Amino acid sequence: MNLTRLAAATALPVLLAWAATGASTTVPASGPIAAKAVNDAIGASLRADMPTALSTLKAAPLAEFNARDTEFRACMLSRHDRSAPPYLAGTVADPFARSVLELYQRYWWQALRDPAVRPGEETRLKTDLAALLGEPAPTPTEEAFEALSERINVELRKRGFHPLQGRTPPLYDLMLWGEQEERPYTVDLPSGERQPVKVFVMDAWVSRGWAHYTSCERTGAAGWAKPEGLYAVRSSYGDMKGENFQVSFLGHEAQHFADMKRWPDMPAWTLEYRAKLVELAQADTTREKLLDRFYRSQDDEPDHPHPYANKRVTIEVATKLGLAADADLRKADPEAVRRTARDVLIADTQRREAEGDAKTGVTKPDAASEPAPVSRP
């Protein structure tokens, strides 16, 4: 996930950890053109670029899609290639929660189609959310929307939900779940630091955010970091013992947690860049899938923190290995890639500490200090 620093009310911790539903080993793979189309469509979805996602899926030969990917393609076309947004919140029993989800889904659907309409759709979202509380539209400031979001959250909590609103760039987001449990962990980071964290394991989902909605539930946030601890989507991690959890969640999110405490003003893309280096430094059995994800979603825009960080990580690790910037790290020596990712992360930390020392005379933060509230999901 991406982190934008928001006030606590709207703080959707950046979608720090992402999960993609793995392909079944018992189903034949889609043909190469269709498989690439699915990967490219998911990547475009994570960039909130629905026109590209749809055109990519339509251009691939239908006969090449296996059953699972055919279902994904059909869902994407049914959900997004239409003249009006679909109604998807009907299974939510609580009327207030259902209304909130309907407003967000309508906003996501419109905002995904054309970046030019997003400002107007954001205004409409805020106006309609205020109307649920019988209030006038909030003033056009982030602070006013944060306050409104918290009043909405209070109502949702009264109904037994755990809500989180904020911005997962580039869109406003809604996470809403019904159950959670707390677990303590201590995470060994590549720098040698041991980071104690609380993990809140979440279940009974109502909304897993715009990326989950956009991709027909094929991918989405699997966890995030907030000042009080880490949040994990239980269904994304199975028995919570494999690398998907130990590395791509705990390692990734614990690095966020440590960085937010040390550098509370660190940009979202930088938080993601450093956390993704942790994943690459520690991944073994999930290494190829991890790099598949990094290569599938890349961008040159820092306001898209995850794809931008993916590109920075692959380029910098390849360059440090003496390879071309566009070299495929999936073909490089795994141990060399892990070692180099760790070295790049440690060098980045040392540079930041040196810069802090030059500016303030302080290189180490107060160990007792709390991380500042993340301004986003």
Side-chain angles (χ1 to χ4, degrees):
M1 269 186 139
N2 217 359
L3 280 154
T4 42
R5 278 165 176 75
L6 301 172
T10 333
L12 261 185
V14 184
L15 297 184
L16 304 177
W18 293 90
T21 305
S24 170
T25 56
T26 62
V27 177
S30 290
I33 299 175
K36 183 177 187 303
V38 169
N39 280 340
D40 290 349
I42 293 172
S45 295
L46 293 176
R47 299 192 300 274
D49 180 1
M50 190 47 57
T52 296
L54 294 178
S55 63
T56 298
L57 291 171
K58 289 178 180 179
L62 185 57
E64 277 206 12
F65 290 83
N66 67 8
R68 179 170 179 269
D69 289 342
T70 296
E71 182 179 357
F72 168 70
R73 180 183 183 275
C75 176
M76 291 290 284
L77 296 181
S78 174
R79 184 171 298 184
H80 299 292
D81 191 24
R82 52 191 293 149
S83 59
Y87 182 73
L88 299 176
T91 59
V92 181
D94 182 85
F96 184 80
R98 182 169 63 247
S99 295
V100 172
L101 181 56
E102 287 172 0
L103 293 179
Y104 268 98
Q105 287 182 341
R106 185 181 67 192
Y107 154 67
W108 294 335
W109 188 87
Q110 297 285 5
L112 291 163
R113 297 166 70 83
D114 182 1
V117 308
R118 287 178 191 168
E121 292 301 326
E122 289 181 358
T123 298
R124 182 181 180 185
L125 171 68
K126 296 172 185 179
T127 299
D128 290 346
L129 286 171
L132 289 180
L133 298 178
E135 299 180 3
T139 58
T141 65
E142 286 302 305
E143 291 76 14
F145 185 47
E146 289 165 9
L148 170 62
S149 296
E150 182 53 27
R151 293 194 292 276
I152 294 285
N153 289 346
V154 168
E155 291 300 316
L156 289 167
R157 291 187 195 107
K158 288 179 182 177
R159 291 160 168 81
F161 296 102
H162 299 272
L164 187 61
Q165 297 181 74
R167 188 184 285 277
T168 303
L171 304 180
Y172 285 115
D173 220 337
L174 172 68
M175 304 292 176
L176 190 61
W177 63 102
E179 300 172 5
Q180 71 179 34
E181 68 167 295
E182 180 181 328
R183 299 183 180 185
Y185 288 90
T186 299
V187 183
D188 293 321
L189 297 173
S191 61
E193 181 180 0
R194 304 193 79 225
Q195 178 65 58
V197 294
K198 294 178 183 178
V199 175
F200 300 93
V201 185
M202 303 173 288
D203 290 298
W205 282 91
V206 174
S207 172
R208 279 181 58 186
W210 69 259
H212 196 241
Y213 167 86
T214 300
S215 65
C216 279
E217 296 73 53
R218 191 70 171 256
T219 188
W224 56 78
K226 289 187 70 182
E228 66 272 18
L230 310 182
Y231 287 75
V233 178
R234 187 193 303 271
S235 60
S236 295
Y237 299 111
D239 62 7
M240 302 178 72
K241 295 179 180 179
E243 283 190 3
N244 282 336
F245 180 74
Q246 297 293 329
V247 174
S248 289
F249 177 75
L250 276 182
H252 182 120
E253 300 298 339
Q255 187 66 54
H256 278 318
F257 194 80
D259 286 346
M260 289 189 295
K261 181 169 58 177
R262 186 180 298 130
W263 295 294
D265 295 323
M266 181 173 280
W269 77 261
T270 310
L271 286 163
E272 292 305 327
Y273 163 76
R274 289 172 55 80
K276 289 170 188 289
L277 283 169
V278 171
E279 289 186 77
L280 198 53
Q282 296 182 336
D284 180 16
T285 61
T286 59
R287 170 182 170 274
E288 188 166 346
K289 288 184 179 179
L290 176 68
L291 284 168
D292 284 346
R293 193 164 72 243
F294 286 3
Y295 284 115
R296 179 174 65 218
S297 179
Q298 298 199 347
D299 203 305
D300 294 317
E301 176 50 62
D303 286 343
H304 298 162
H306 278 277
Y308 183 74
N310 289 344
K311 189 168 185 177
R312 289 287 299 263
V313 166
T314 56
I315 288 175
E316 292 187 23
V317 171
T319 302
K320 183 74 172 178
L321 280 167
L323 305 173
D326 61 352
D328 188 343
L329 294 177
R330 290 167 292 195
K331 299 177 181 178
D333 176 65
E335 184 52 42
V337 170
R338 284 191 287 270
R339 181 177 63 250
T340 302
R342 175 182 177 276
D343 291 346
V344 170
L345 175 63
I346 290 174
D348 185 77
T349 298
Q350 292 172 341
R351 178 180 62 79
R352 293 178 190 283
E353 290 177 341
E355 289 175 352
D357 187 36
K359 292 177 182 177
T360 67
V362 177
T363 59
K364 295 183 179 179
D366 179 358
S369 64
E370 288 296 322
V374 184
S375 100
R376 95 246 68 247

